[in-house]
Amino acid sequence: NAGVTQTPKFRVLKTGQSMTLLCAQDMNHEYMYWYRQDPGMGLRLIHYSVGEGTTAKGEVPDGYNVSRLKKQNFLLGLESAAPSQTSVYFCASSDGGTLGDTQYFGPGTRLTVL
Amino acid sequence: GENVEQHPSTLSVQEGDSAVIKCTYSDSASNYFPWYKQELGKRPQLIIDIRSNVGEKKDQRIAVTLNKTAKHFSLHITETQPEDSAVYFCAASSGGSNYKLTFGKGTLLTVNP
């Protein structure tokens, strides 16, 4: 199993450009998450999904949109990138249920917005 | 919402010494507390977790303790080794569920040979 994968690994955007980050998991997990990681700030939840076709806002959702059309994929979109969105983005997934709380992270996407 | 405070932000120890990282949380409904380790340039990975019905859990050189009354939990690493050097994050479940986590800001642990 590949686990959780993310594409692309690196990206440089200019202010105002748009892009989509793709997260895929092959563990048949119900829950998926997008986090951003900034120096000294830990991991902050952007959006999450509790199942195919569902999305919900996390702690820092502004400027981002998400979609979960298929259970195995969770897409994060930036419609008009801003320098404040320069960060490392991590996707994660979890099985849910009583003992299925462990979140498995992808390798991350390093995004720079100029 | 949930707020998780983590201390210290940096910790330097000599190889073989013990390291302790402490976290406090605000939501009394939180009942799941995982710890993640992130090596430089890598993804966070779960190293140990504890649920609210347990006060302590051990896994070889790693242990976690939970004090629900005081709303704090701690990570203990004994006999530290250079490969323990990494950033460690605590987290607490939030919003009344176990699937949504709030993370602390992390502790950079350096183990000096």
Side-chain angles (χ1 to χ4, degrees):
Chain A
N1 288 351
V4 181
T5 58
Q6 293 181 230
T7 52
K9 289 186 171 58
F10 304 93
R11 186 72 187 270
V12 178
L13 289 178
K14 294 181 179 179
T15 297
Q17 287 185 319
S18 63
M19 78 163 294
T20 300
L21 283 67
L22 171 64
C23 175
Q25 53 94 6
D26 62 2
M27 297 176 281
N28 201 35
H29 284 171
E30 286 295 331
Y31 304 122
M32 297 187 74
Y33 316 83
W34 276 106
Y35 293 92
R36 60 177 289 173
Q37 184 175 38
D38 302 295
M41 296 297 293
L43 292 154
R44 292 184 292 170
L45 183 64
I46 304 171
H47 286 281
Y48 63 99
S49 168
V50 299
E52 182 179 310
T54 75
T55 63
K57 293 181 179 179
E59 181 186 353
V60 288
D62 294 344
Y64 305 95
N65 56 75
V66 288
S67 64
R68 183 123 181 249
L69 299 179
K70 293 183 178 180
K71 186 177 184 179
Q72 63 268 33
N73 296 338
F74 195 29
L75 278 64
L76 178 71
L78 286 72
E79 290 185 347
S80 180
S84 60
Q85 294 177 304
T86 293
S87 188
V88 179
Y89 291 86
F90 285 100
C91 174
S93 70
S94 66
D95 185 44
T98 306
L99 297 177
D101 310 319
T102 302
Q103 292 190 17
Y104 298 87
F105 283 81
T109 295
R110 185 172 294 276
L111 175 66
T112 302
V113 182
L114 302 176
Chain B
E2 176 69 278
N3 183 46
V4 177
E5 299 283 341
Q6 182 172 347
H7 299 280
S9 57
T10 62
L11 179 59
S12 182
V13 300
Q14 290 299 122
E15 183 177 358
D17 287 350
S18 295
V20 180
I21 303 170
K22 298 182 179 181
C23 290
T24 61
Y25 62 98
S26 61
D27 186 354
S28 56
S30 295
N31 55 16
Y32 174 61
F33 308 91
W35 285 87
Y36 283 81
K37 175 183 180 182
Q38 186 180 28
E39 297 175 355
L40 186 62
K42 300 292 180 67
R43 72 190 77 188
Q45 291 191 299
L46 180 76
I47 54 171
I48 195 168
D49 57 16
I50 192 167
R51 298 176 194 279
S52 59
N53 57 346
V54 175
E56 183 176 2
K57 184 176 178 180
K58 289 184 180 179
D59 183 3
Q60 300 183 336
R61 297 184 297 108
I62 293 173
V64 58
T65 58
L66 171 65
N67 183 327
K68 282 215 74 179
T69 303
K71 288 192 255 181
H72 67 71
F73 56 113
S74 301
L75 177 71
H76 305 253
I77 306 175
T78 58
E79 301 173 19
T80 54
Q81 302 167 2
E83 50 265 38
D84 294 329
S85 296
V87 178
Y88 291 81
F89 293 98
C90 65
S93 59
S94 58
S97 71
N98 281 4
Y99 59 79
K100 195 171 150 191
L101 298 176
T102 298
F103 284 82
K105 294 184 178 179
T107 297
L108 174 61
L109 173 64
T110 303
V111 180
N112 301 299

